[in-house]
Amino acid sequence: MTPPPSLPQFTAAGLPALQRRTSAVLVVSQILGGLGVAIGIALAPMLAAEVSGSEALSGLAPTASVVGTALLSLPLAALMTSRGRRSGLVLAYLIGALGGGLVVLATVLPSFPLLLLGMAAFGAGSLAGLQARFAAADLVGPERRGRAISTVVWATTIGSVLGPNISAPASRLFRGTPVPEAAGPFLCSAAVFLLAGLVVALALRPDPLLTARALAPEGLAGPAGPPKRPLRVGIDAVRESPMARLALVTVTVSHTAMVSIMVMTPVDLGRHGAGLQLIGLVISGHIAGMYAFSPVMGWLADRFGRLAVIGLAVGLLSLAALLAGTAGPRHGQTAVGLFVLGLGWSAGMIAGSALLTDAVPQSAQAAVQGLSDLTMNAAAGVGGAAAGVIVAQWGYGLLNAIGAALLLPVAALALRRDLRRPGVAGG
């Protein structure tokens, strides 16, 4: 790969300043991207019901977004492998903006298949946010990698909190126009995605991934040879590293358990008499647990090691399942359980992401990170869909028990002797 023209003049002496500037750009883009996702996704089920004419199909809109995020993971990983983070992130935001426009067009026509296609493309905005956490880790050493990732994850808090509150005013902006009010927020989301992409295109220079490769000591960037498909590169790298396998399982299981429990909590609360305001507060507390304390998780992962924080994630997610699954009509206990669920997700996502980056050669990192996003979103999509069936047939308590049982492979991998040897990274 030929480095960009700006890289030969760059040396390791300027790395700290470049790290800070890269982190600042990613934080700004993450705030914008998180805002764009949250503005639109809040009204997606309502819009799906309106366009399809059936409430039973309302859940397909957010599901299509998750599917789109998963399907786009590997193509964007391939682009980042060859062209760097900036190209991949900009393209992801552009696809997300196109998706927002397709959703609006689908409501005007109306066309439910087009709506689902638009929501799938809209998922690229979420994917940009997921990949930004890895971009933050490109230029930092293992001793600060957890904190670098957690800073970008924390920035998501701002957009996630503001977005749903902007949805209603955004709808009113289009009153009296051909654009249906419920679709208006998606035009706003598209505009915000375009702005996020512009920030990345103009300010994420030099590219962090290409710079890290250019500065890597000879022989550490990975083996030479004919190019492989990103999926094959990712699978091979994970297969060769026990640490990478643990990291991939941690990220996938943490995300799947969180999504499966979270999506059905409003239903369980409603069955026990909770109103919309209380349900909103519980979900807000859950989101705060996911993002607001991520810098703490990043510091813990750097200070005490990735394995310790993965163990913390298993403990927190198990406790959350116990609290939420046994709460019944005790809404306060459910709220605490969902908050702890968010904390467990944060610990697993940050420690797992840092460990995944630690555990593979630099040349394989983008491919492995794309494989991680594909796996976690595909598993979460299946988990979210299955959660509704489980709750309908056997109840919310069993769903939480299954969520806790999913954590067993993580605990088993983390306790393996070959991961506990002195000198093994992340221990």
Side-chain angles (χ1 to χ4, degrees), residues 333-385:
Q333 182 174 325
T334 301
V336 172
L338 265 287
F339 175 74
V340 175
L341 184 71
L343 288 178
W345 177 89
S346 181
M349 184 64 59
I350 290 169
S353 298
L355 182 59
L356 192 67
T357 305
D358 295 341
V360 298
Q362 201 166 60
S363 62
Q365 284 178 2
V368 170
Q369 291 157 357
L371 175 64
S372 171
D373 286 345
L374 167 65
T375 303
M376 64 179 259
N377 282 290
V382 173

Side-chain angles (χ1 to χ4, degrees), residues 13 45 202 206 212 229 244 270 276 278 284 286 298 303 319 341 393 400 409:
L202 295 179
R229 293 181 180 274
L276 291 178
L278 177 58
S284 294
H286 169 66
R303 176 66 179 81
L319 176 60
L341 184 71
Q393 296 293 323
N400 280 270

